């Protein structure tokens, strides 16, 4: 193994709902002739992002119920070590963090674990930023600032939702945090692949300048205790009209507290999976392909936010069954 060049790793980060999975899907579906192993981390006990990743011919590993930068960091090391046993199957690794991850401990993994350090190379930290909501997130989230500070490339996404003046103000705020990273503007995370992977852009010297203890291996990261993740699922088919009425009312009344909502739904009489996503009150949804043959048609939805009422949300979701 020591004779082989290290496998490049791209860390894909960004706050909840910024567009990370959309960018990941663009990477996996572009005609570039490369194969990637994908590691996805989710904050809640039920995973949805794995279902939102396109049916590409890639190896996808899911780590749930903990943040990659703290509680499940050991899982990342184990997955990477396992991947090295079959490294001939892929050209690179993409790690998509939860929207609440501090990228510093994630990046540390590639320098403080000797086996990982020998077999892999951190190619770049790519941070996707929601132009519409970034200023609010910087006001209430330490993670949003850290994700920008550690970025080698910043994708200023959702440009279609802001005015030119608002975009300039957001970019100026980003530059005040990180003046070195390349910044590209995008809609729906539409960024050329060669700007995201294979950049050889990670700059350890710059990181050590910001955090001198970076290579110590110590992790003092803690999450905002007010943020929680609630997940629900049902085997019964969902009535789309009931769901639309309920979710629209919920987002209208509770949207400010809902940082992220996402779900995969099995609609009654429909053979395709419906993917629903929302950031605060801005919602989107579409069919993403058929259910696989023999797959259990189970609907699941995840809420990440503050001051969430579990029994009330459960009753609301269960009332949407056909």
């Amino acid at each position: 193994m020591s004779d082989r060049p290290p496998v490049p790793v791209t860390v894909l980060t960004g706050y909840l709902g910024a567009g990370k999975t959309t960018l990941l899907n663009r990477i996996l579906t572009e005609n570039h002739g490369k194969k990637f192993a994908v590691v996805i981390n989710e904050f809640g006990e039920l995973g949805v992002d794995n279902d939102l990743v396109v049916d590409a011919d890639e190896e996808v590993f899911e780590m749930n119920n903990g943040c990659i930068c703290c509680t499940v960091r050991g899982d990342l090391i184990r997955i990477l070590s396992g991947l090295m046993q079959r490294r001939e199957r892929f050209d690179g690794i993409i790690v998509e963090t939860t929207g609440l991850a501090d990228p510093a401990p994630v990046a540390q993994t590639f320098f403080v674990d000797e086996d990982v350090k020998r077999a892999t190379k951190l190619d770049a930290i790519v941070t996707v930023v929601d132009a519409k909501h970034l200023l609010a997130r910087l006001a209430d989230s330490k993670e949003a600032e850290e994700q920008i500070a550690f970025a080698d490339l910043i994708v200023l996404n959702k440009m279609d939702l802001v005015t030119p003046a608002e975009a300039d103000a957001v970019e100026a705020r980003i530059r005040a945090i990180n003046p070195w990273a390349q910044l590209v503007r995008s809609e729906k995370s539409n960024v050329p692949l060669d700007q995201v992977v294979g950049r050889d852009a990670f700059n350890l010297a710059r990181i050590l300048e910001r955090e001198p203890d970076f290579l110590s291996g110590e992790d003092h990261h803690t999450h905002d205790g007010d943020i929680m993740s609630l997940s629900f699922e049902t085997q019964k088919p969902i009535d789309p009209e009931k769901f639309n009425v309920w979710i629209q009312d919920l987002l209208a009344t509770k949207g400010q507290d809902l940082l992220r909502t996402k779900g995969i739904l099995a609609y009654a009489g429909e053979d395709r999976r419906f993917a629903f996503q929302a950031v605060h009150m801005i919602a989107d949804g579409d069919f993403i392909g058929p259910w696989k043959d023999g797959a259990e048609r189970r609907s699941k939805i995840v809420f990440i936010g503050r001051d969430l009422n579990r029994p009330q949300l459960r009753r609301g979701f269960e009332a949407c069954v056909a």
Side-chain angles (χ1 to χ4, degrees), residues 243-264:
F243 178 78
N244 287 337
V245 170
W246 171 65
I247 200 72
Q248 287 175 15
D249 180 66
L250 178 65
L251 295 180
T253 57
K254 192 68 177 172
Q256 283 302 111
D257 291 325
L258 287 167
L259 299 171
R260 187 77 166 103
T261 307
K262 50 190 174 181
I264 300 292

Side-chain angles (χ1 to χ4, degrees), residues 35-279:
K35 282 182 64 67
F36 295 97
V38 179
V39 182
I40 297 174
N41 180 217
E42 294 198 59
F43 186 62
E45 66 266 26
L46 270 184
V48 169
D49 279 359
N50 196 24
D51 295 290
L52 295 173
V53 174
V54 293
D55 293 326
D57 186 26
E58 260 80 15
E59 299 190 62
V60 179
F61 299 86
E62 200 173 11
M63 297 187 297
N64 292 344
N65 208 22
C67 193
I68 198 171
C69 63
C70 38
T71 56
V72 295
R73 186 170 162 193
D75 291 345
L76 174 61
I77 293 174
R78 283 190 289 275
I79 288 174
L80 292 171
S81 299
L83 283 172
M84 291 308 104
Q85 305 304 314
R86 49 189 188 278
R87 56 192 293 176
E88 70 281 352
R89 297 185 186 180
F90 50 85
D91 302 294
I93 300 171
I94 300 173
V95 179
E96 181 191 351
T97 75
T98 167
L100 295 173
D102 178 346
V106 182
Q108 276 179 350
T109 306
F110 299 94
F111 293 93
V112 299
D113 184 274
E114 287 302 320
D115 291 336
V116 172
K117 180 181 178 181
R118 213 166 21 243
T120 65
K121 176 184 180 182
L122 185 54
D123 184 72
I125 296 176
V126 179
T127 299
V128 186
V129 169
D130 181 341
K132 177 73 173 176
H133 296 105
L134 176 65
L135 297 183
R137 293 292 70 79
L138 288 174
D140 65 13
S141 168
K142 176 172 64 74
E143 287 86 2
E145 181 174 350
E146 291 297 308
Q147 289 164 0
I148 290 171
F150 273 81
D152 303 299
L153 170 69
I154 297 169
V155 178
L156 184 54
N157 196 32
K158 304 189 181 182
M159 291 297 297
D160 50 322
L161 301 181
V162 295
T163 66
E166 289 171 332
D168 290 342
V170 172
E171 185 167 331
R173 186 73 177 86
I174 291 171
R175 284 299 177 214
I177 300 170
N178 184 340
W180 301 280
Q182 180 185 355
L183 188 146
V184 295
R185 296 184 175 191
S186 73
E187 297 179 13
K188 301 185 184 302
S189 297
N190 191 1
V191 181
L193 177 72
D194 58 7
Q195 293 191 9
V196 181
V197 298
R199 295 179 49 82
D200 194 19
F202 184 78
N203 188 327
L204 180 60
R206 180 172 68 80
I207 298 303
L208 288 172
E209 196 173 296
R210 177 180 172 84
E211 292 203 14
D213 297 330
F214 174 75
L215 295 178
S216 69
E218 297 180 8
D219 174 22
H220 305 294
H221 179 60
T222 57
H223 290 296
D224 182 347
D226 293 335
I227 297 179
M228 64 180 77
S229 173
L230 303 181
S231 308
F232 309 101
E233 62 180 338
T234 178
Q235 293 174 290
K236 299 176 181 178
I238 298 293
D239 183 314
E241 291 188 8
K242 289 181 181 179
F243 178 78
N244 287 337
V245 170
W246 171 65
I247 200 72
Q248 287 175 15
D249 180 66
L250 178 65
L251 295 180
T253 57
K254 192 68 177 172
Q256 283 302 111
D257 291 325
L258 287 167
L259 299 171
R260 187 77 166 103
T261 307
K262 50 190 174 181
I264 300 292
L265 306 176
Y267 281 159
E270 175 60 63
D271 290 330
R272 295 172 297 171
R273 297 172 296 156
F274 187 84
F276 175 83
Q277 304 190 57
V279 178

